[in-house]
Amino acid sequence: MSRMGNAITRRGFVTVVAAGLLATGLAACGNSDTGDDAGDGNGKIVLGFSQVGAESGWRTANTNSIKESAAAAGIELKFDDAQQKQENQIKAIRNFIQQKVDVIAFSPVVESGWDTVLKEAKDAGIPVILTDRSVDSADKSLYQTFIGSDFVKEGRLSGEWLVEQTKNATGPVNIVELQGTTGSAPANDRKKGFAEAIAANPNLKIIASQTGDFTRAGGKAVMEQFLKANPKIDVLFAHNDDMGLGALEAITAAGKVPGKDITIITIDAVKDGMQALADGRFNFIAECSPLLGDQLMELVKKVHAGESVPARVETEETTFTQEQAKAALPNRKY
């Protein structure tokens, strides 16, 4: 979770400040553009950053935000692409420790299994910042702060919209769910929030739920299976836009009209998803902003300077219907 002495506000973001703690360094995971070791005497803060991968348009925008913000802040970035594998991230973090970077930041592929490597970073005196996704470690001293979204809220907002839309339903409403990467924080939390919200209407039933791994290809393949196994599907809830966009292909190929025959709810609000919503092929999107770079660099500077930071910094996000998507698209940055 993240800590900053002062609330960090950026356009499109708001900082929620929790208990502050003192931090003595920064840690990030990444893959260096140069082969140089950290601590080369150039006076720059060195951030090692390990990214989940490049599985979606959201993730690409997130990576670009971090790279551009690091350059603008004068922070040397060593960037690593974990290709959606936890073992790759653990290796990257250990490489950063060996290089003696100032701060390590990473977006965890999954929630579990980080205690050992995070303790290695702590023992080396390198602070760690979690971005976008959290870990389930009971030892909160292993990382300095978290910056990102409230995934449970995103799932809940999606479910609440559906409850409102189906309040007059007199029979069962069959829902299929495209989950994100198994074991990841957004997949776990979005599923939880959505399930809690739709419990308000006993007619709403999730009849199938399977991971599409946050990818378009995965969304298409799993939706094809759903359609073959379930002749009556009323609603698709996809944990991100990309899986929803892949599912569109499967739905169309099955002779159904997305957005009409099947109501489609997704999360992220990237440009392609927003266009699908504006065109009426999606019906509702809960936003999850990838533009964390500026806030992250502020946190990096704070923890490196030994200043206290809030336990958690959350992004300010909204939801979109078709008309709202049409209005927002011309100025959409991602």
Side-chain angles (χ1 to χ4, degrees), residues 140-291:
K140 306 304 181 186
S141 73
L142 295 178
Y143 52 91
Q144 299 299 312
T145 184
F146 165 87
I147 176 172
S149 303
D150 185 337
F151 299 131
V152 174
K153 181 180 178 181
E154 292 166 356
R156 186 175 69 250
L157 290 171
S158 300
E160 287 173 351
W161 178 84
L162 181 60
V163 168
E164 176 62 24
Q165 297 300 306
T166 57
K167 62 185 178 183
N168 296 322
T170 56
V173 177
N174 292 336
I175 306 165
V176 294
E177 179 181 32
L178 283 168
Q179 297 181 42
T181 302
T182 301
S184 69
N188 293 342
D189 291 352
R190 287 168 181 170
K191 181 177 182 64
K192 176 183 177 182
F194 185 77
E196 289 175 350
I198 66 171
N201 184 343
N203 287 317
L204 300 177
K205 304 288 185 183
I206 297 177
I207 60 171
S209 182
Q210 186 175 324
T211 180
D213 214 25
F214 283 129
T215 67
R216 292 196 192 195
K220 179 182 179 182
V222 176
M223 192 66 198
E224 287 173 345
Q225 297 173 26
F226 286 164
L227 289 161
K228 290 176 182 177
N230 304 282
K232 184 179 182 295
I233 296 174
D234 301 303
V235 179
L236 164 64
F237 171 48
H239 287 191
N240 77 340
D241 290 342
D242 278 75
M243 289 190 295
L245 290 164
L248 288 179
E249 298 180 46
I251 293 168
T252 302
K256 296 182 182 295
V257 179
K260 293 183 179 179
D261 295 331
I262 298 178
T263 297
I264 299 177
I265 302 166
T266 69
I267 295 174
D268 273 357
V270 299
K271 274 188 177 178
D272 286 353
M274 291 284 278
Q275 189 62 60
L277 179 57
D279 293 342
R281 294 179 296 153
F282 284 0
N283 302 88
F284 182 84
I285 298 178
E287 185 180 35
C288 180
S289 176
L291 306 182

Side-chain angles (χ1 to χ4, degrees), residues 303-331:
V303 299
H304 184 254
E307 299 179 27
S308 67
V309 296
R312 183 180 182 91
V313 175
E314 291 183 4
T315 55
E316 181 181 10
E317 295 159 344
T318 186
T319 60
F320 295 95
T321 59
Q322 183 177 16
E323 292 306 313
Q324 290 167 333
K326 288 179 181 178
L329 262 173
N331 299 315

